Amino acid sequence: MSRSSSDTGKAAAIDRRAAVALVATGLMALLAPAARAQEPVQILNVSYDPTREFYREYNAWFSDWWQAQGNAPLTLRQSHGGSGGQARAVIDGLDATVVTLALSADIDAIAERSGKIPADWQTRLPHNSAPYTSTIVFLVRDGNPKGIRDWGDLIGEGIEVITPNPKTSGGARWNFLAGWAWALDAHDGDEAQARDFMAKLFRNVPVLDTGARGATNTFAQRGIGDVLLAWENEAFLALAEQGGDAFDIVVPSISMLAEPPVTLVDGNIASDAQRETAWAYLQQLYSPEAQALAVKHHYRAWDSSAVPQEALDRFPALERVSIDAFGGWAEAQPRFFGDGGVFDQIYAER
């Protein structure tokens, strides 16, 4: 049966509406992540002690960037403390969305003991999921009255060394391994000599704070100690806050290539929108703008394209030993810092 022109027009209109509906359905599927991103989202970043100032500024930058992409405003919260203590808090139920800790062993502990992070978490972002690096330096009183130049000076009689507790602080574990690396080099790889050196060093430690910021406050504000073993950014921050007439930075001949990693806490993610936002939060740490912020706060960036040369010139050249020299954190953590490990043995002998 042939159709009238009116029937044909109606059919064409129906076909057009069907096509529009199909296209709309397809667009909705494609735009679903963007639609989810319009939902209000809250992120809790559980971090280690010395990142407070960096993440305060990064959070403001990311929030502006995120909304500029057409997304809804979000709530960013921070938690800071010793890296090991922060890891235990997440294992015990702290509802972290992301963790940005001092070393991979602490994130591995969360993965192993809570199941909230996959075992291969470190492969999910560039540079083993470490958006910047750092190292360990010495902070001394103005004029360096005790003449501290390198690790060997730290075991001298009457020298008070300030470092946090390696059982709770990631920075303290980097401190310990940096000293051990120097002692091995100084004694032709003799581990007995390295152990003896570290035992003497810890006899000169009057107090063990739980985190790096607490140790900085002990040294800089309470006036205890002759030398602080510090994250490089903490040392620069102390200079900025109290002026160059209060402290000097001494760069040892050997230190550690510290790589503080970040990751999503998958088991705490409550929605697709939260997952999308949290991943963007971590990925943008590698952007040129965020890398420039990292350098501003005295971390060593991978991408210096947006960093003025004078800012890069602040970082001294030094030999930085990789954790791989210790068999990676999978070997170093239990050997040196596990229950009954080298640190426990040394500290019990004080």
Side-chain angles (χ1 to χ4, degrees):
M1 179 183 298
S2 62
R3 292 181 178 174
S4 69
S5 60
S6 175
D7 290 337
T8 302
K10 289 178 181 178
I14 291 171
D15 289 343
R16 284 194 297 273
R17 286 197 296 272
V20 168
L22 286 171
V23 170
T25 301
L27 284 173
M28 286 178 65
L30 289 171
L31 295 176
R36 287 195 299 268
Q38 302 303 315
E39 301 171 15
V41 168
Q42 183 173 118
I43 290 175
L44 171 60
N45 177 3
V46 173
S47 195
Y48 64 108
D49 258 341
T51 62
R52 300 167 193 265
E53 292 77 16
F54 167 66
Y55 277 112
R56 186 181 301 131
E57 191 162 356
Y58 175 71
N59 286 353
W61 177 87
F62 178 79
S63 182
D64 290 343
W65 177 86
W66 185 244
Q67 292 180 61
Q69 312 310 305
N71 300 303
L74 69 156
T75 301
L76 290 166
R77 296 188 296 131
Q78 290 292 126
S79 171
H80 295 275
S83 187
Q86 292 289 77
R88 282 191 289 277
V90 176
I91 292 166
D92 292 341
L94 180 61
D95 198 23
T97 316
V98 299
V99 287
T100 59
L101 296 178
L103 43 86
S104 61
D106 288 332
I107 299 182
D108 284 338
I110 299 171
E112 292 164 7
R113 295 173 58 186
S114 76
K116 292 182 175 181
I117 299 173
D120 66 348
W121 64 269
Q122 211 164 1
T123 67
R124 300 192 293 186
L125 288 166
H127 303 295
N128 291 321
S129 292
Y132 52 79
T133 71
S134 191
T135 196
I136 302 303
V137 299
F138 303 162
L139 191 68
V140 298
R141 306 290 172 191
D142 182 45
N144 195 5
K146 295 296 181 76
I148 295 167
R149 301 297 177 193
D150 211 343
W151 290 96
D153 299 319
L154 303 185
I155 62 173
E157 186 176 352
I159 301 294
E160 284 194 335
V161 180
I162 303 300
T163 181
N165 189 341
K167 305 292 281 190
T168 55
S169 165
R173 278 169 275 175
W174 289 117
N175 294 350
F176 187 101
L177 293 182
W180 187 278
W182 176 88
L184 279 182
D185 183 75
H187 296 287
D188 298 321
D190 188 329
E191 293 205 346
Q193 293 275 13
R195 189 184 187 284
D196 181 63
F197 169 77
M198 295 306 295
K200 291 176 179 176
L201 190 157
F202 274 91
R203 290 189 195 112
N204 284 352
V205 176
V207 60
L208 287 176
D209 291 287
T210 58
R213 183 56 56 87
T216 300
N217 290 340
T218 292
F219 181 77
Q221 297 181 12
R222 296 173 60 197
I224 298 174
D226 301 300
V227 55
L228 170 71
L229 308 187
W231 288 98
E232 187 172 46
N233 69 295
E234 281 285 276
F236 276 115
L237 180 64
L239 285 183
E241 289 186 343
Q242 301 209 23
D245 58 350
F247 306 112
D248 295 329
I249 293 176
V250 173
V251 179
S253 60
I254 292 177
S255 193
M256 291 298 294
L257 172 60
E259 298 176 290
V262 305
T263 197
L264 188 73
V265 185
D266 303 66
N268 287 342
I269 298 301
S271 68
D272 289 337
Q274 189 182 45
R275 178 181 297 276
E276 180 189 359
T277 308
W279 267 123
Y281 180 82
L282 295 178
Q283 290 165 341
Q284 285 302 308
L285 285 168
Y286 294 85
S287 68
E289 295 84 357
Q291 294 281 288
L293 283 180
V295 171
K296 177 182 175 181
H297 290 278
H298 311 293
Y299 296 100
R300 299 186 182 218
W302 298 107
D303 182 351
S304 60
S305 60
V307 181
Q309 186 59 46
E310 58 268 24
L312 296 174
D313 291 341
R314 290 198 306 263
F315 297 108
L318 76 162
E319 181 181 348
R320 293 197 291 169
V321 177
S322 169
I323 189 63
D324 294 341
F326 294 86
W329 280 110
E331 291 186 22
Q333 174 65 30
R335 180 190 175 196
F336 290 98
F337 311 114
D339 291 341
V342 173
F343 171 73
D344 282 354
Q345 297 165 25
I346 284 172
Y347 206 67
E349 297 168 2
R350 292 175 81 245

